[in-house]
């Protein structure tokens, strides 16, 4: 195919985690929430469906912005909605990074950032974490043509969290805007919301995919100062969120009680999983997210992944160049985690 842009021909494309047919596997590989969402969500989607889909949706998703603004303690014009937070990351990349210029990201982290840079014809500059997953000071160094930096916090696959103070320090020295990807922040102890008020170069992306159990709905959002949001609105597709997802997302963020209860369940299972993995000899890292990063110094882990898979349990096997490989295990229900642990026990 010769007419396609060179950047596209030359790139591999992003590979998401396996999504096998429903029901066949215990799925602990893509950090979905194992519980059903708030009942309010299903009701709101049914109501929206009853009102029909002949009309275009609200391009600004104002119902969501108003409700989310109340929950977060900002004004609605500090919020931009997207078709999943991946859409938000795309919009921000397109708005800030010109072809040929640089996008900075830490390594290992979310591999989609690199793909977004490639699509934009930009250069991604990966800064390795230190061995203990703290941020290397190169991350805030000045380089020619640097236009944007992405930083997931908590990070994936490590599940580690940088403090708001560390991030403020990075931001002060960094010469470009910084997007903190808070996809997992609802499972963590701190967030960076306060920093958005202090500095227009800081943006936060969030998603309803993980903590609200709505990965299939596709809804994410950005929090940034209004003058930033106004520019980004020009970049997004006119109707990037649909009527059903706006209704569902608004109902989801409205139900903060559901969120608190779900969070408590996931965190309790996470602590149990981490402890059990350590007892099995994994170097399971204390996690601030809904998964546990588990390398093992005593034995290769890829065969464990394979054996789990042949027993219908799917976890994520990850190997990053220059790093010890490991299993990233999502926090499922207690029953799912027990099934996974029982199998692992029989293998190690
Ligand atoms: C899951 C994930 C996202 C994507 O979330 P969607 O809203 O489902 O697109 C973004 N960033 C990180 C680090 C993630 O793990």
């Amino acid at each position: 195919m010769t007419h396609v842009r060179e950047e596209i021909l030359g790139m591999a494309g992003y590979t998401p985690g396996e999504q096998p047919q429903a029901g066949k596997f215990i799925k602990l590989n893509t950090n979905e929430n194992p519980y059903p969402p708030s009942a309010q969500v299903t009701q709101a989607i049914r109501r929206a469906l009853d009102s029909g889909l002949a009309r275009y949706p609200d391009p600004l998703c104002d119902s969501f912005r108003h409700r989310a603004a109340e929950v977060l303690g900002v004004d609605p014009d500090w919020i931009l909605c997207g078709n999943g937070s991946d859409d938000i990351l795309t919009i921000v990349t397109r708005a800030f990074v010109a072809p040929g210029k640089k996008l900075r990201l830490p390594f290992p982290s979310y591999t989609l950032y690199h793909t977004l840079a490639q699509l934009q014809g930009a250069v991604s500059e990966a800064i390795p974490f230190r061995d203990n997953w703290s941020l290397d000071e190169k991350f805030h160094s000045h380089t020619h043509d640097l236009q944007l930096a992405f930083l997931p916090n908590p990070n994936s696959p490590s599940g580690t969290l940088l403090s708001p103070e560390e991030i403020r320090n990075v931001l002060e020295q960094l010469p470009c805007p910084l997007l903190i990807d808070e996809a997992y922040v609802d499972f963590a102890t701190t967030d960076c919301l306060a920093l958005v008020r202090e500095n227009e170069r800081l943006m936060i992306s969030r998603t309803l995919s993980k903590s609200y159990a709505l990965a299939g709905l596709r809804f994410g959002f950005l929090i940034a100062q209004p003058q930033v949001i106004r520019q980004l609105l020009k970049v997004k597709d006119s109707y990037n969120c649909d009527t059903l997802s706006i209704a569902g997302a608004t109902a989801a963020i409205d139900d903060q009680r559901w969120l608190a209860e779900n969070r408590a369940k996931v965190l309790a299972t996470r602590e149990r999983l981490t402890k059990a993995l350590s007892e099995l000899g994994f170097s399971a890292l204390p996690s601030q997210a809904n998964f546990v990063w588990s390398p093992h110094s005593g034995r290769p882990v890829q065969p464990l992944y394979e054996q789990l898979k042949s027993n219908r349990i799917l976890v994520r096997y990850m190997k990053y160049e220059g790093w010890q490989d490991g299993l990233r295990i999502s926090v499922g229900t207690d029953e799912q985690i027990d099934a996974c642990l029982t199998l692992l026990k029989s293998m190690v």
Side-chain angles (χ1 to χ4, degrees):
M1 183 66 211
T2 51
H3 299 277
V4 171
R5 281 166 54 210
E6 236 171 84
E7 291 90 337
I8 310 299
L9 289 171
M11 64 185 272
Y14 177 72
T15 318
E18 296 165 80
Q19 298 293 351
Q21 270 189 329
K24 282 204 163 168
F25 282 86
I26 292 181
K27 232 180 135 296
L28 306 174
N29 68 328
T30 51
N31 304 338
E32 290 140 326
N33 201 299
Y35 300 104
S38 157
Q40 289 188 18
V41 172
T42 344
Q43 287 160 13
I45 293 174
R46 287 220 177 85
R47 268 200 309 276
L49 197 51
D50 288 343
S51 314
L53 297 174
R55 303 281 178 208
Y56 281 109
D58 171 6
L60 293 177
C61 313
D62 268 334
S63 63
F64 178 86
R65 290 169 100 201
H66 277 98
R67 197 62 199 99
E70 284 167 11
V71 169
L72 299 168
V74 297
D75 282 332
D77 59 357
W78 289 56
I79 297 173
L80 171 80
C81 299
N83 179 25
S85 63
D86 288 353
D87 182 34
I88 295 293
L89 301 175
T90 302
I91 293 167
V92 171
T93 306
R94 288 169 69 194
F96 286 99
V97 191
K101 308 285 182 173
K102 285 183 196 138
L103 170 69
R104 183 170 290 166
L105 41 97
F107 179 83
S109 74
Y110 191 33
T111 49
L112 178 75
Y113 306 147
H114 172 66
T115 308
L116 292 175
Q118 284 186 309
L119 285 171
Q120 191 66 4
V123 179
S124 70
E125 190 186 47
I127 309 289
F129 278 105
R130 297 203 187 100
D131 284 346
N132 62 358
W133 296 96
S134 64
L135 202 58
D136 194 280
E137 54 190 39
K138 284 200 195 78
F139 196 84
H140 59 242
S141 65
H142 289 222
T143 49
H144 191 54
D145 286 346
L146 180 64
Q147 295 193 314
L148 177 68
F150 281 147
L151 185 59
N153 198 46
N155 184 48
S156 170
S158 60
T160 48
L161 183 78
L162 304 169
S163 72
E165 293 71 33
E166 285 172 276
I167 288 179
R168 182 189 284 119
N169 183 42
V170 169
L171 182 65
E172 277 166 5
Q173 313 202 39
L174 195 70
C176 65
L178 172 63
L179 181 140
I180 305 295
D181 181 345
E182 291 193 338
Y184 299 103
V185 85
D186 291 325
F187 304 108
T189 46
T190 59
D191 66 55
C192 287
L193 196 53
L195 301 183
V196 180
R197 295 177 205 282
E198 294 173 11
N199 197 320
E200 70 164 7
R201 281 187 296 116
L202 193 91
M203 298 170 273
I204 289 180
S205 66
R206 294 206 182 159
T207 176
L208 301 204
S209 295
K210 280 58 183 247
S211 55
Y212 288 88
L214 290 171
L217 192 74
R218 310 307 305 136
F219 201 93
F221 60 100
L222 184 85
I223 312 158
Q225 293 193 8
Q227 68 275 20
V228 180
I229 301 285
R230 274 198 299 277
Q231 297 304 319
L232 296 174
L233 284 171
K234 301 179 196 166
V235 178
K236 81 176 190 73
D237 291 347
S238 309
Y239 304 108
N240 59 333
C241 300
D242 63 86
T243 302
L244 301 182
S245 75
I246 297 169
T250 306
I253 198 129
D254 184 54
D255 198 347
Q256 289 298 304
R257 204 174 123 192
W258 180 94
L259 181 71
E261 286 169 6
N262 181 271
R263 176 182 195 270
K265 278 193 284 190
V266 170
L267 263 53
T269 310
R270 178 182 77 191
E271 302 323 313
R272 211 164 62 76
L273 172 63
T274 311
K275 187 159 170 283
L277 287 168
S278 304
E279 284 164 10
L280 291 174
F282 288 91
S283 328
L285 230 56
S287 171
Q288 293 268 339
N290 67 337
F291 54 83
V292 179
W293 175 237
S294 318
H296 197 302
S297 300
R299 54 175 302 143
V301 294
Q302 193 167 18
L304 300 178
Y305 156 79
E306 301 288 354
Q307 271 177 275
L308 285 172
K309 190 173 175 183
S310 60
N311 284 282
R312 303 192 178 287
I313 296 184
L314 208 50
V315 300
R316 194 86 176 257
Y317 168 74
M318 291 180 148
K319 170 83 194 107
Y320 299 92
E321 210 190 320
W323 288 72
Q324 187 182 10
D325 60 353
L327 302 180
R328 194 192 68 186
I329 305 177
S330 309
V331 177
T333 62
D334 281 314
E335 296 70 38
Q336 292 173 331
I337 291 303
D338 284 340
C340 179
L341 287 170
T342 304
L343 263 175
L344 281 173
K345 259 175 217 154
S346 69
M347 295 173 200
V348 299

